[in-house]
Amino acid sequence: MKVKGFTLIELIVVIVILGILATTVAPKYIDLEADAHTATLQAIKASMEGASALVYGKSLVKGNHKLKDTDPNATVNIGDSIDDGNGVGELVVHYGYPVAYEDDWLRLIDFDSAIYGFESTTDGQTVIIYLIKNGKPTGKSDSCITYFTQSSGEYVKPDIKTNSC
């Protein structure tokens, strides 16, 4: 009687091949969470760029794109119903672009505030969106953040960057 089956050597070879495949493929799937957070932060960056461009366009139309945020005429109407003391829907601009005020950016863009936090720097020039589980950022060089640094002068775009997770 002849029994058909695999020999011990054949089984060991298959197990070794599966082990090699697992060690080369597994790291690619382990880091998916970091890639997902980076992609979300890049989407937030794109939202900030889009909102910034729209505000600049409104500022150009109004003719106040050369004014600093300290000028009382450096505002645009973004058409929302929030009264921030400047008038309904008014947003302060700095050389035509949004300023680094946390409240203003929360009016301009939307993101999951249960996962991502919003922090302003002490100099008032930069706002940072960060992954809450990583803790508050210490600066613009931290990983897993998107930041907006307001315009430094006439015709100078704000600095909007994302640091990978």
Side-chain angles (χ1 to χ4, degrees):
M1 169 158 92
K2 196 171 185 180
V3 178
K4 293 185 178 186
F6 296 107
T7 65
L8 184 59
I9 303 251
E10 291 171 327
L11 290 174
I12 290 174
V13 168
V14 168
I15 290 170
V16 167
I17 291 172
L18 288 174
I20 291 170
L21 286 173
T23 57
T24 57
V25 174
K28 179 124 180 126
Y29 292 105
I30 290 173
D31 200 25
L32 286 181
E33 184 178 3
D35 290 345
H37 287 301
T38 299
T40 302
L41 287 170
Q42 288 171 341
I44 291 170
K45 174 189 172 201
S47 294
M48 292 177 102
E49 288 171 339
S52 182
L54 288 171
V55 168
Y56 188 75
K58 285 182 174 265
S59 183
L60 279 172
V61 169
K62 192 171 179 183
N64 63 3
H65 60 285
K66 295 181 180 182
L67 301 177
K68 291 184 177 183
D69 59 339
T70 54
D71 190 308
N73 295 318
T75 63
V76 294
N77 188 316
I78 59 170
D80 65 359
S81 60
I82 298 172
D83 187 352
D84 57 5
N86 292 332
V88 176
E90 292 297 311
L91 183 80
V92 176
V93 293
H94 184 71
Y95 296 114
Y97 292 101
V99 293
Y101 296 162
E102 184 175 338
D103 291 340
D104 285 355
W105 276 105
L106 291 173
R107 292 167 58 196
L108 291 170
I109 62 171
D110 188 25
F111 58 91
D112 190 348
S113 60
I115 298 174
Y116 297 95
F118 209 98
E119 188 73 22
S120 296
T121 57
T122 55
D123 65 2
Q125 303 293 309
T126 303
V127 289
I128 301 172
I129 297 175
Y130 63 97
L131 188 60
I132 291 174
K133 75 175 189 174
N134 291 350
K136 289 188 178 184
T138 57
K140 294 191 287 187
S141 62
D142 287 9
S143 64
C144 212
I145 64 168
T146 291
Y147 64 87
F148 169 93
T149 302
Q150 67 187 34
S151 174
S152 60
E154 289 182 37
Y155 307 110
V156 178
K157 288 185 178 182
D159 188 25
I160 307 172
K161 297 232 177 1
T162 296
N163 298 345
S164 298
C165 296

